[in-house]
Amino acid sequence: MEKGADGNIISRFTATMFKKNFPDKREKLQNFLAKNELKLIEHFLFIGRHSSRVDYIYHGTPLHGSWISKKKY
């Protein structure tokens, strides 16, 4: 990761670079995601960033799409 004189990040690294440079952190992250997959998906889809719970999600265009119920999930 490259930083400028002011300490701000100039460039970031790729996923491949992260995997190579931080294998332990990557493994911890992968384990966390695998262990909490269902809870994370439910939170991202049905609760959101501001705890605004929803019962359905619509995926598609205004003319054609599908509703997904939390109960079916």
Side-chain angles (χ1 to χ4, degrees):
M1 183 170 9
E2 189 178 340
K3 293 187 179 185
D6 57 0
N8 291 331
I9 297 172
I10 295 173
S11 63
R12 300 181 188 268
F13 45 83
T14 64
T16 303
M17 291 170 64
F18 182 82
K19 182 178 179 180
K20 180 182 173 187
N21 294 331
F22 304 101
D24 295 337
K25 287 185 181 186
R26 181 183 179 274
E27 185 178 350
K28 278 183 162 179
L29 182 59
Q30 292 287 57
N31 290 337
F32 173 81
L33 292 173
K35 184 178 178 182
N36 297 289
E37 183 177 13
L38 291 178
K39 287 182 181 182
L40 291 168
I41 290 171
E42 181 178 356
H43 179 79
F44 296 147
L45 293 179
F46 295 104
I47 298 172
R49 186 174 178 185
H50 302 288
S51 296
S52 54
R53 296 180 184 274
V54 296
D55 296 320
Y56 296 91
I57 295 175
Y58 181 79
H59 177 74
T61 67
L63 299 177
H64 186 275
S66 299
W67 288 95
I68 300 169
S69 167
K70 182 177 180 182
K71 290 179 183 177
K72 282 190 175 182
Y73 170 75

